[in-house]
Amino acid sequence: MKKINIAIDGPAAAGKSTIAKKVAAALDMVYVDTGAMYRAITLAYLEADHDDFEALLSHIDIRLISDNGQRVLLNEEDVTERIRENDVTAHVSFVASQAAVRGFLVDLQQQMTLDKGVVMDGRDIGTTVIPDAELKIYMVASVEERALRRQLDNDMRGISSTVEQLKADIAHRDHLDMTREISPLSKADDALVVDTTGQSIEQVTEKILKMAAEKIG
Ligand SMILES: Nc1ncnc2c1ncn2[C@@H]1O[C@H](COP(=O)(O)OP(=O)(O)O)[C@@H](O)[C@H]1O
Ligand SMILES: Nc1ccn([C@@H]2O[C@H](COP(=O)(O)OP(=O)(O)O)[C@@H](O)[C@H]2O)c(=O)n1
């Protein structure tokens, strides 16, 4: 069986992490949610209250622990739940647009993929982090459905929001992510588009497992 890397990119709340986690579990691969890494640096930025990113990064240690998904440690503190809160979400696209931040995280992410066997999701995985990934997916869904899904996520996490506000926030974040200067969100030329609108998690997982099976041989 051939060892491969799978890159999953796309806009906010398209279903990338949910599907990446399931595909990794089914294929006994390592799941990496790169958005969580940008969120962890955003939390450090909010706590530091200055925008000297070089200085900030020199004091940052990020660890990902596989745990039926992924837990995130920022300087040994478990911030997995904290980084989903509204203040982090509102600032993450700004922090992710910084050259120093992207250089730091892309290096770290590329090291994780060297031995293959990784399912990595984010915004620039197929274009920048693993341009030679054997399977690249560009996952999309209507903004209405993405806002509804995120509202359910927030309800479960006890995070306050409304669907209308989420729709506006998601559209704004997508715009920032697609128009930033360094590795903006875009579909790699060789990525396959998967639209999850109106699809169940099981249907999408099956579809991607079939695509992966073709690559694994
Ligand atoms: N067909 C589907 N594919 C993926 N996620 C879905 C689907 N239908 C509903 N969902 C829900 O949508 C949300 C997607 O969020 P998430 O996976 O965090 O997206 P992303 O990583 O793209 O931001 C999850 O709560 C998930 O349960
Ligand atoms: N590879 C990546 C992953 C995330 N990001 C940034 O991190 C933010 C949060 O990513 P996320 O995957 O946690 O976002 P959600 O769609 O889960 O809300 C994105 O809006 C991007 O600004 C990025 O720039 N590059």
Side-chain angles (χ1 to χ4, degrees):
M1 205 162 97
K2 194 173 146 201
K3 225 174 164 189
I4 65 166
N5 281 325
I6 302 179
I8 306 184
D9 291 298
K16 304 179 296 296
S17 313
T18 304
I19 302 298
K21 209 181 299 175
K22 289 195 170 287
V23 168
L27 298 177
D28 198 21
M29 292 173 72
V30 176
Y31 156 64
V32 180
D33 170 4
T34 62
M37 302 166 91
Y38 287 93
R39 286 173 176 274
I41 293 183
T42 303
L43 178 60
Y45 158 76
L46 291 173
E47 286 175 346
D49 205 22
H50 66 76
D51 64 0
D52 182 345
F53 283 96
E54 298 278 1
L56 190 71
L57 291 166
S58 69
H59 295 103
I60 283 184
D61 175 56
I62 293 177
R63 299 226 170 144
L64 304 181
I65 316 266
S66 293
D67 159 38
N68 210 0
Q70 174 190 279
R71 299 206 73 77
V72 188
L73 302 189
L74 171 64
N75 297 335
E76 295 184 11
E77 185 189 346
D78 189 330
V79 296
T80 311
E81 274 82 36
R82 175 67 183 91
I83 58 174
R84 301 290 152 193
E85 290 181 25
N86 290 331
D87 56 342
V88 173
T89 303
H91 291 89
V92 66
S93 290
F94 165 69
V95 172
S97 72
Q98 304 297 315
V101 173
R102 299 210 75 80
F104 178 84
L105 285 185
V106 169
D107 265 4
L108 210 61
Q109 292 155 5
Q110 287 180 332
Q111 283 169 31
M112 295 173 171
T113 64
L114 291 178
D115 292 337
K116 299 205 186 261
V118 171
V119 184
M120 187 172 270
D121 89 87
R123 302 294 188 286
D124 61 340
I125 311 306
T127 54
T128 305
V129 180
I130 359 178
D132 62 350
E134 285 77 3
L135 177 60
K136 298 184 188 178
I137 307 289
Y138 192 77
M139 194 170 279
V140 297
S142 73
V143 72
E144 287 76 17
E145 187 152 330
R146 292 188 285 131
L148 281 169
R149 291 176 182 174
R150 195 42 56 89
Q151 177 67 29
L152 290 177
D153 289 339
N154 284 352
D155 285 347
M156 280 204 314
R157 291 188 165 119
I159 295 172
S160 141
S161 58
T162 64
V163 176
E164 273 317 302
Q165 188 57 48
L166 280 172
K167 216 166 114 181
D169 289 351
I170 284 174
H172 179 59
R173 189 146 59 91
D174 289 348
H175 175 73
L176 293 177
D177 290 342
M178 287 170 170
T179 57
R180 71 171 171 238
E181 244 171 73
I182 310 167
S183 51
L185 166 63
S186 71
K187 184 184 111 39
D189 290 340
D190 51 351
L192 304 165
V193 176
V194 173
D195 187 341
T196 70
T197 313
Q199 300 274 303
S200 72
I201 292 173
E202 291 68 29
Q203 283 173 315
V204 178
T205 306
E206 269 315 299
K207 187 181 256 182
I208 294 179
L209 283 175
K210 271 195 195 137
M211 293 171 171
E214 282 175 24
K215 303 290 178 184
I216 290 168

